[in-house]
Amino acid sequence: MKKVIATLVASLFATAAFAQTPAAPAAPVPAKAEAAHTKAVAKAEAKETKAVVKADAKEAAVVADAKADVASAKADAKVSKAKAHHKASKAKVKADATKAAEAVPAAPAPAPAK
């Protein structure tokens, strides 16, 4: 009889240990927020690529027209590329800031100090 009771108690503890549900993640990022962030970054990269291609095409067209304007065209293209890179990096930073701002409200507020 003692063995049967010991077996039942042991099985009770064993099943209780394995019946635990896994802890929920602390603050999961919503899928929509992640998708919006990815979309914003992709859009910024696409704009940058388009601006760079446009600047390269402009440079190529000017080089074909006259060699005298090559230096000026290269300078203009360099400025256009720099502007495109700057705009793209600003858009990426803005997208990251938006993502961070959405993640911050999900954190619990700290308790006031006594």
Side-chain angles (χ1 to χ4, degrees):
M1 187 69 172
K2 287 183 181 180
K3 286 184 179 181
V4 172
I5 292 173
T7 306
L8 290 174
V9 170
S11 65
L12 176 69
F13 283 116
T15 56
F18 290 109
Q20 300 283 330
T21 58
V29 177
K32 285 185 178 181
E34 188 67 31
H37 176 260
T38 305
K39 184 178 178 181
V41 170
K43 190 174 182 181
E45 288 175 352
K47 281 185 177 182
E48 176 187 7
T49 304
K50 185 177 178 181
V52 169
V53 168
K54 188 175 180 181
D56 287 341
K58 181 178 178 183
E59 180 183 352
V62 172
V63 167
D65 287 344
K67 288 201 173 213
D69 294 333
V70 170
S72 173
K74 283 186 178 182
D76 289 344
K78 190 173 185 179
V79 169
S80 297
K81 284 182 185 180
K83 285 183 181 178
H85 287 293
H86 181 69
K87 284 183 180 180
S89 64
K90 279 179 63 177
K92 288 178 187 178
V93 167
K94 185 177 179 182
D96 289 338
T98 304
K99 181 180 178 184
E102 289 174 355
V104 169
K114 292 185 178 181

